[in-house]
Amino acid sequence: MNNSVQIPQIPLSERIRPNSLNSFFGQQKLVGKGKPIGTMIENDSISSMIFWGPPGTGKTTLAKIISAKTSSEFFQLNAVSSGVKEVREVIKIAKQNSLYNKRTILFIDEIHRFNKSQQDALLNSVESGEIILIGATTENPSFEVIPALRSRARVYILEALSVEDLKSIIQRAIKEDKFLSSLPIKSIDENFLIYVSGGDSRILLNVLEDSVKYLLNKDEINITKEVIENIIQQKNVLYDKAGEEHYNVISAFIKSIRGSDPDSAIYWMARMLEGGEDPLFIARRLVILASEDIGNASPNGLVLAEATFSAVHKIGMPEARIILAQCVTYLASSPKSNAAYMAIKLAEQDVRQNPLYSVPLHLRNAPTSLMKSIGYGKEYKYPHDYENNFLPQNYFPTEMQNTQYYLPTENGQENNLKERLKKIWKGIKSYQKK
């Protein structure tokens, strides 16, 4: 190793973190001229916000640029290692700052990790303006941030960095970092480096720096695919959580369950978990699949999937993988039906493409005497007054009478529903696939 070169202790991703929008790559829809965040900084008018996007897309960097360019005192917490105590300490300082008209920005990374009571602790200070909250999350705020807090903050979506953005970040690091610029770096397999980073700029820079250190005793530094593979060693880096491989593997996973193969489904799930996939992402897809592909053929599938999502959220890894495995094997082994999914698609098509016909008078509610006098609800027959709690009557607009969307299959428990519907609607509706 070349002993004349002093190796920095601070990671490359921190050393070259942009301190202004001029050196910030990506997110031009947010930071470009006339765009929301660029305008906020230019006008020194900042409000609470939540950044939602994949890892390594600039959430932390943007928060720090906002703080630096708007003369604010900046505090950073990570929701994994911080709690209400740390939040209250910042609030105390913010109250003092507000007496002197000094702005306080609290940046909370992984804000989705805060539970409801921890998020509640922020409400008063955010609403009063004592604190400008900037939250960062890789999870959908609609599910992971409480409505009261979400309503007090604007949500900005950060997109995955493009290949060109990532190449620009590599070139900036080589030119502007004091350590890298002093070395004889001749070539870099940029495309492979971007591939293994999965679009995460932090991983990109860390792998770049580790590759350089690995070749430090060479006269020329050529960062080839073989060098990068030597550095990463683990296959999990090759699971591209933000790119094509992510979508390929989740697609294989879903199709394996739909195809009733629990073994291949477990394999693809193991690939995702070993690659660092968020178990809640997997659990959320299982909830959707339980209705879309299994439906009424095995209604307990949705119950189990919802319970799995809740349990994974509470338990976390590594035990969450056992809960996921139970759900995956059950769903893959269950009889399948997409009849409910097809029914809503057909109904949506009619709603969008056809006239919106009037509700028939007999189906209208009649809370006033005037409504009763003009026939609202007059011909409606109450099913519970009839044998087996049923009688055939039209529930559609008159122009759509006897339209059918739901065609239950003969699989699993859905066959029971099909037989009942065939019996009660005999001669009116047909339950044979067209």
Side-chain angles (χ1 to χ4, degrees):
M1 180 178 291
N2 188 344
N3 294 322
S4 65
V5 177
Q6 187 173 358
I7 299 175
Q9 298 303 307
I10 299 171
L12 176 61
S13 56
E14 283 298 319
R15 297 199 306 272
I16 69 156
R17 187 185 293 279
N19 53 22
S20 74
L21 293 181
N22 292 332
S23 51
F24 182 85
F25 295 104
Q27 316 310 332
Q28 288 305 301
K29 291 180 181 178
L30 297 179
V31 303
K33 188 169 180 59
K35 301 304 180 181
I37 294 175
T39 302
M40 274 188 194
I41 294 173
E42 186 178 339
N43 296 338
D44 196 11
S45 175
I46 306 298
S47 57
S48 292
M49 63 192 86
I50 295 171
F51 293 150
W52 170 30
T57 49
K59 297 184 288 293
T60 302
T61 299
L62 266 184
K64 290 188 173 183
I65 291 173
I66 290 170
S67 175
K69 297 301 179 183
T70 57
S71 303
S72 307
E73 186 165 7
F74 182 80
F75 294 90
Q76 180 173 347
L77 298 178
N78 188 297
V80 174
S81 55
S82 305
V84 172
K85 179 185 174 184
E86 289 79 7
V87 169
R88 285 177 177 160
E89 288 172 358
V90 176
I91 290 173
K92 185 178 178 181
I93 297 170
K95 287 180 183 294
Q96 291 296 317
N97 284 345
S98 65
L99 296 176
Y100 302 98
N101 291 322
K102 185 177 182 181
R103 185 186 287 133
T104 304
I105 291 179
L106 172 57
F107 174 67
I108 301 180
D109 199 9
E110 299 188 83
I111 194 171
H112 60 277
R113 302 283 188 178
F114 266 2
N115 59 33
K116 183 180 183 300
S117 63
Q118 289 170 317
Q119 293 186 35
D120 280 339
L122 294 160
L123 288 177
N124 289 339
S125 297
V126 171
E127 187 167 26
S128 68
E130 289 174 343
I131 280 179
I132 302 296
L133 172 68
I134 302 180
T137 177
T138 55
E139 295 295 316
N140 190 333
S142 299
F143 300 114
E144 306 299 338
V145 178
I146 61 173
L149 190 56
R150 205 168 60 241
S151 69
R152 292 163 171 80
R154 300 180 189 178
V155 175
Y156 293 112
I157 300 173
L158 277 73
E159 299 175 347
L161 297 176
S162 69
V163 170
E164 290 308 311
D165 290 332
L166 293 166
K167 287 185 176 181
S168 297
I169 290 171
I170 293 170
Q171 291 305 315
R172 176 173 175 264
I174 293 170
K175 291 176 183 176
E176 297 186 15
D177 179 65
K178 187 176 179 181
F179 172 59
L180 295 190
S181 63
S182 68
L183 300 172
I185 299 174
K186 298 300 181 184
S187 67
I188 300 173
D189 189 334
E190 292 184 339
N191 290 329
F192 189 68
L193 181 57
I194 289 168
Y195 168 68
V196 300
S197 74
D200 185 325
S201 60
R202 189 180 297 105
I203 293 176
L204 177 89
L205 293 170
N206 288 343
V207 174
L208 171 62
E209 182 167 39
D210 287 343
S211 300
V212 167
K213 290 176 182 177
Y214 178 75
L215 299 169
L216 207 53
N217 60 340
K218 305 289 186 182
D219 293 332
E220 280 190 359
I221 294 178
N222 295 290
I223 302 174
T224 62
K225 177 182 177 182
E226 290 71 28
V227 169
I228 296 169
E229 286 176 333
N230 252 338
I231 293 302
I232 59 176
Q233 291 296 312
Q234 300 172 347
K235 292 180 182 178
N236 65 336
V237 182
L238 294 175
Y239 175 70
D240 182 357
K241 288 190 288 183
E244 183 180 354
E245 189 65 7
H246 164 82
Y247 297 104
N248 289 341
V249 174
I250 192 64
S251 175
F253 172 66
I254 294 298
K255 287 171 181 171
S256 296
I257 300 176
R258 183 183 295 142
S260 298
D261 186 348
D263 304 299
S264 59
I266 284 288
Y267 168 76
W268 294 117
M269 187 178 77
R271 280 268 296 264
M272 287 189 284
L273 292 174
E274 283 296 307
E277 184 59 82
D278 184 349
L280 279 174
F281 168 78
I282 299 172
R284 192 174 290 116
R285 292 304 299 262
L286 293 176
V287 174
I288 299 166
L289 179 142
S291 279
E292 181 180 341
D293 292 303
I294 295 169
N296 291 324
S298 182
N300 283 336
L302 180 57
V303 177
L304 179 60
E306 173 61 25
T308 296
F309 182 87
S310 177
V312 168
H313 187 67
K314 293 172 185 173
I315 302 301
M317 289 292 282
E319 290 84 357
R321 77 193 197 288
I322 305 168
I323 301 163
L324 287 169
Q326 178 189 348
C327 185
V328 166
T329 51
Y330 180 88
L331 297 181
S333 305
S334 295
K336 304 297 188 294
S337 169
N338 73 341
Y341 172 57
M342 295 305 297
I344 186 61
K345 284 185 67 177
L346 290 170
E348 287 171 341
Q349 185 176 317
D350 267 357
V351 169
R352 290 167 184 162
Q353 295 180 0
N354 296 329
L356 299 179
Y357 303 110
S358 298
V359 176
L361 287 177
H362 73 284
L363 295 180
R364 299 187 188 190
N365 196 23
T368 70
S369 56
L370 173 62
M371 290 177 173
K372 288 179 183 176
S373 70
I374 59 176
Y376 278 33
K378 183 178 179 181
E379 301 297 328
Y380 175 66
K381 296 179 176 61
Y382 188 56
H384 296 293
D385 289 340
Y386 294 82
E387 185 179 358
N388 296 321
N389 309 91
F390 175 82
L391 79 157
Q393 67 180 327
N394 178 46
Y395 295 98
F396 269 105
T398 305
E399 298 86 348
M400 297 178 64
Q401 190 163 341
N402 300 334
T403 299
Q404 280 186 258
Y405 301 123
Y406 180 51
L407 296 172
T409 69
E410 297 178 357
N411 298 333
Q413 297 179 50
E414 193 167 39
N415 188 51
N416 297 333
L417 303 180
K418 180 175 183 176
E419 291 304 315
R420 177 178 183 272
L421 292 169
K422 280 172 64 176
K423 181 179 179 181
I424 63 177
W425 289 103
K426 187 176 181 180
I428 300 173
K429 296 189 181 188
S430 170
Y431 283 91
Q432 302 300 322
K433 281 199 173 183
K434 299 170 184 175

